Amino acid sequence: MQVMDAEQHDQNVTAHPSPPPPQTLSKNAQKRLLKQQRMEAKKAERRAAMKEHKKKEGDRKRKEWEEMLASVAEDERLKLIESRKGLRKERMEKRSEEKEKKTQRLTNAKEHGQNIVVDLDFSDLMTPNEINSLAQQIMYCYAVNRRCASPCHLWLTGCNGEMGSRLQRLPGFDKWIIEKENRPYIEALQDEKHNLVYLTADSETILHELDPKKMYIVGGLVDRNRWKGITMKKAQEQGIQTAKLPIGNYLKMSSSQVLTVNQVIEILLKFLETQDWKTSFFQVIPQRKRGGADSEDCQGDVEGGEENEEEEDQLEIKKKRTESPSND
């Protein structure tokens, strides 16, 4: 009987092996984890506060409207209601007209706009939080591009794996007027290889003008500080051109901070609009990232990416995003 019990015990152990002991995180990994947890907690608090504020504002406006209707005669009440309906209809018609114009501009950009590619082939180097951050940046890129009088034609290449899944969860992503490629750009755009230009701060070539025939690539990688020089190395191995924005001719970046993907693309859009690099840099780059102006002997990192100030950049994105891109 004891032998049978022992055999049964051995079978249970084999069928249900003990989980491996948890791996001990390094001090730096523990700090990053704590920072991510604090950021997520703050984000949750802000979302809850914004939701509560929106609810209170809605309740307040509804109460004021009801009180106003209750304070007037029946005929006046009917006039107020009809007037409100008319204003609402007018707003909806105007919004629909603006949406059609934006859609037409984006459609025209497919043929005549500057091509800008976001290289999303780095998802295996990023954490889930970083992938989520990049997806938010891309959503803002699209929203900014939609508002431009002369938008560019956006490409997303390497839209697969976790990055592709996260993008699919963005509001209205399937309706975005952009090019979405599961393949890397080097495969999807092999016929245009001679026109590909990777924007990287490690390049020795300074970009003075945007060539309509060129397709400018922005590296979609968050926390680039962990992967110094990765985009330059990639471009060299693939045999494609590289260039860097002339940021050092106009301002001094504080420390070695990088710009987010949406900031790089917004700079390019501003330059297409103004043909002025200085104006483009100063309108897009946050003051906290600018250490000084008109410096000839300094170069900031202007690749698409994100420094350790992720929370501030995400707050800035939410503050500046005045409309949802899901309406397309």
Side-chain angles (χ1 to χ4, degrees), residues 182-199:
N182 292 332
R183 297 173 295 170
Y185 63 83
I186 200 65
E187 295 179 12
L189 302 170
Q190 56 182 337
D191 293 338
E192 293 290 336
K193 184 177 178 179
H194 60 290
N195 282 325
L196 297 179
V197 181
Y198 214 120
L199 297 181

Side-chain angles (χ1 to χ4, degrees), residues 26 186 221 231:
S26 65
I186 200 65
L221 177 60
T231 52

Side-chain angles (χ1 to χ4, degrees), residues 55-276:
K55 182 178 181 300
K56 286 182 179 180
E57 278 296 295
D59 292 342
R60 180 184 64 79
K61 291 179 180 180
R62 191 178 302 107
K63 183 179 179 181
E64 289 178 354
W65 172 249
E66 292 173 351
E67 289 176 349
M68 183 172 62
L69 290 180
S71 65
V72 298
E74 180 67 20
D75 57 340
E76 185 67 21
R77 185 183 302 118
L78 293 175
K79 289 180 181 179
L80 286 172
I81 293 173
E82 287 301 317
S83 175
R84 191 180 193 186
K85 289 181 178 179
L87 288 173
R88 183 176 297 174
K89 182 180 179 181
E90 183 179 337
R91 285 198 303 269
M92 292 179 65
E93 290 175 349
K94 184 178 179 180
R95 189 176 302 172
S96 177
E97 182 180 346
E98 290 175 351
K99 178 182 175 181
E100 290 179 4
K101 289 180 179 178
K102 291 174 182 177
T103 300
Q104 186 60 49
R105 290 198 297 265
L106 290 174
T107 302
N108 292 340
K110 296 182 71 172
E111 296 294 331
H112 309 292
Q114 181 73 62
N115 286 284
I116 299 178
V117 181
V118 182
D119 176 14
L120 301 178
D121 208 23
F122 298 106
S123 58
D124 59 323
L125 303 180
M126 294 185 288
T127 67
N129 279 345
E130 289 167 347
I131 289 175
N132 181 69
S133 173
L134 180 57
Q136 293 294 317
Q137 293 176 37
I138 290 170
M139 181 167 66
Y140 180 63
C141 290
Y142 184 67
V144 170
N145 195 44
R146 286 181 71 232
R147 293 196 294 268
C148 287
S150 299
C152 69
H153 186 42
L154 278 175
W155 291 68
L156 301 180
T157 62
C159 297
N160 48 38
E162 182 60 31
M163 189 72 241
S165 299
R166 183 61 188 86
L167 289 173
Q168 287 295 334
R169 295 199 293 272
L170 292 177
F173 180 72
D174 289 337
K175 298 180 181 179
W176 288 11
I177 304 176
I178 60 174
E179 302 296 336
K180 307 165 192 172
E181 275 285 349
N182 292 332
R183 297 173 295 170
Y185 63 83
I186 200 65
E187 295 179 12
L189 302 170
Q190 56 182 337
D191 293 338
E192 293 290 336
K193 184 177 178 179
H194 60 290
N195 282 325
L196 297 179
V197 181
Y198 214 120
L199 297 181
T200 168
D202 298 308
S203 177
E204 295 182 358
T205 302
I206 297 178
L207 186 68
H208 295 292
E209 300 289 340
L210 293 180
D211 186 340
K213 297 179 181 178
K214 301 295 185 182
M215 305 183 76
Y216 296 98
I217 305 170
V218 178
L221 177 60
V222 173
D223 197 359
R224 189 176 296 276
N225 291 325
R226 298 202 309 266
W227 307 99
K228 297 289 187 181
I230 189 172
T231 52
M232 183 65 180
K233 181 180 178 182
K234 181 176 184 178
Q236 289 175 331
E237 290 176 348
Q238 294 175 339
I240 64 176
Q241 304 169 66
T242 64
K244 61 183 174 184
L245 301 183
I247 190 169
N249 295 341
Y250 303 98
L251 57 86
K252 180 179 179 180
M253 297 290 284
S254 57
S255 69
S256 60
Q257 295 173 347
V258 298
L259 300 180
T260 58
V261 170
N262 58 281
Q263 287 166 346
V264 176
I265 289 181
E266 192 171 1
I267 286 171
L268 297 176
L269 290 171
K270 282 291 182 182
F271 181 77
L272 288 170
E273 175 188 344
T274 65
Q275 296 298 305
D276 187 312

Side-chain angles (χ1 to χ4, degrees), residues 247-255 257 282 285-301:
I247 190 169
N249 295 341
Y250 303 98
L251 57 86
K252 180 179 179 180
M253 297 290 284
S254 57
S255 69
Q257 295 173 347
F282 275 80
I285 299 176
Q287 179 64 45
R288 60 186 168 78
K289 290 187 178 182
R290 303 201 301 261
D294 299 312
S295 173
E296 295 287 347
D297 58 354
C298 57
Q299 286 291 340
D301 192 335

